[in-house]
Amino acid sequence: MVREKVTVSTQTLQWKWKCVESRTDSKRLCYGRFVLFPLMKGQADTIGIAMRRALLGEIEGTCITRAKFEKIPHEYSTIMGIQESVHEILMNLKEIVLRSNLYGTCDASICVKGPRYVTAQDIISPPYVEIVDNTQHIANLTESIDLCIGLQIERNRGYDIKSTNNFQDGSYPIDAVFMPVRNANHSIHSYGNEKQEILFLEIWTNGSLTPKEALHEASRNLIDLFIPFLHTEEENFHLDDNQHKVTLPVFTFHDKLAKLGKKKKKALKSIFIDQLELPPRIYNCLKRSNIYTLFDLLNNTQEDLMKMGHFCIEDVRQIFGIIEKHFGN
């Protein structure tokens, strides 16, 4: 545990922040306490509430969302030679903490032979998926049997309650809590004749992110949410059948794409979207929609882009501007 003494000067005009306490209680529980000062009266509550919501709801995490067993009739079946039922194994898989830079989903597996304990260390996953705690328990094989489980790993945000009817191939959905931040609190202390305030933020994470990493990512995501309001042009909305519709600029890149020769189209396939200097949130949304190259992007209409999760009008406008740079006049 690291502790630092906080000293505040009432003459300071610029905001300062620092970590005043940091500790790792276990591989799956990290704690950090941060301070931001000096703030005018009322500002600490504004920042604290927004940061807490961003910490709990705007940070992506990685979870196991699906498991497939062979020849298992239903979730509450028992398997000869395994101490746990299928349902108990699914609950243990739900608790596995993963860290990754994955976009969308990927496959993993478990293939072991008993008798032995099965832990998270037995998961065979891609190199870009890291298991935070290899000792997490999955099952206990009491006899000399083979256990093979196919897994699906997904990166997303928030939580996802799976329906038992989602999969028809004999696999079982697992409710996923993608949030790497377990809890977040803020407290406010006044000083200087109660005209200024100090904000304290407490963050607990599951170990896939440190509290400091979570604070940085939540701050970036919170800034992205407010970027549309920084632009001077206001979007035109009109009501139709109680639905909000937005008038978008005409997407003319399809016409330009159709006029390009084979060589130029091939060149577009070699321009990846991470070369387009896109904001991180837009880049992540495109990746999750399996858009990897400029050619993939041009094959989507503005309506397609607007249907993507977390996309807004300003995001589409930014994409228009970036594509225009590549096509020129």
Side-chain angles (χ1 to χ4, degrees), residues 64-224:
I64 298 172
T65 57
R66 179 180 176 185
K68 183 176 182 179
F69 300 80
E70 293 186 3
K71 300 178 181 179
I72 302 299
H74 57 79
E75 180 179 342
Y76 296 96
S77 301
T78 57
I79 305 173
M80 187 68 67
I82 301 180
Q83 183 175 312
E84 292 82 3
S85 67
V86 172
H87 178 73
E88 289 172 323
I89 294 175
L90 293 175
M91 292 301 99
N92 290 337
L93 290 171
K94 180 180 177 179
E95 297 299 319
I96 302 292
V97 178
L98 303 172
R99 178 186 179 110
S100 78
N101 57 0
L102 170 70
Y103 294 100
T105 63
C106 71
D107 294 327
S109 63
I110 299 173
C111 290
V112 294
K113 184 178 181 63
R116 57 169 295 181
Y117 286 103
V118 183
T119 66
Q121 187 174 7
D122 297 305
I123 297 176
I124 303 170
S125 61
Y128 47 83
V129 176
E130 175 188 348
I131 299 169
V132 172
D133 184 2
N134 286 329
T135 65
Q136 282 185 262
H137 179 74
I138 296 176
N140 179 18
L141 308 188
T142 57
E143 297 179 12
S144 180
I145 63 168
D146 294 323
L147 175 65
C148 291
I149 307 174
L151 303 174
Q152 176 181 281
I153 296 174
E154 181 179 346
R155 181 177 173 86
N156 212 322
R157 69 178 63 187
Y159 58 90
D160 187 11
I161 305 300
K162 300 290 185 180
S163 167
T164 54
N165 298 322
N166 278 0
F167 308 114
Q168 304 297 327
D169 59 353
S171 60
Y172 297 91
I174 301 175
D175 295 341
V177 180
F178 295 103
M179 300 177 289
V181 176
R182 289 188 172 187
N183 196 13
N185 289 329
H186 77 278
S187 59
I188 302 167
H189 302 272
S190 300
Y191 71 98
N193 295 326
E194 298 190 351
K195 292 183 179 180
Q196 291 181 303
E197 296 176 336
I198 305 174
L199 173 65
F200 285 91
L201 282 169
E202 293 182 289
I203 302 171
W204 291 262
T205 70
N206 64 1
S208 61
L209 289 178
T210 66
K212 188 174 181 180
E213 288 173 332
L215 184 64
H216 287 176
E217 188 166 341
S219 300
R220 286 194 297 267
N221 292 342
L222 194 58
I223 290 169
D224 284 343

Side-chain angles (χ1 to χ4, degrees), residues 12 35 44 52 73 78 127 139 157 167 170 177 188 202 221 226 249 273 282 294 306 314:
T12 305
V35 61
R52 184 176 187 275
T78 57
R157 69 178 63 187
F167 308 114
V177 180
I188 302 167
E202 293 182 289
N221 292 342
F226 286 98
I273 61 173
I282 296 178
L294 184 55
M306 286 300 298
E314 191 56 41

Side-chain angles (χ1 to χ4, degrees), residues 12-71:
T12 305
L13 297 179
Q14 294 182 342
W15 290 0
K16 296 181 179 180
W17 76 275
K18 67 192 307 184
C19 178
V20 295
E21 184 177 349
S22 176
R23 67 171 185 263
T24 301
D25 295 330
S26 68
K27 289 184 178 180
R28 286 177 276 164
L29 182 59
C30 301
Y31 171 80
R33 188 166 183 249
F34 306 88
V35 61
L36 177 66
F37 62 92
L39 301 168
M40 300 300 293
K41 191 170 181 62
Q43 289 180 336
D45 205 31
T46 300
I47 298 172
I49 292 172
M51 283 302 303
R52 184 176 187 275
R53 293 182 66 89
L55 284 163
L56 294 174
E58 296 298 327
I59 302 179
E60 292 187 341
T62 306
C63 293
I64 298 172
T65 57
R66 179 180 176 185
K68 183 176 182 179
F69 300 80
E70 293 186 3
K71 300 178 181 179

Side-chain angles (χ1 to χ4, degrees), residues 279-295:
R281 186 170 60 79
I282 296 178
Y283 174 80
N284 291 337
C285 288
L286 294 176
K287 278 282 191 178
R288 282 196 293 268
S289 300
N290 297 318
I291 296 175
Y292 302 102
T293 67
L294 184 55
F295 185 84

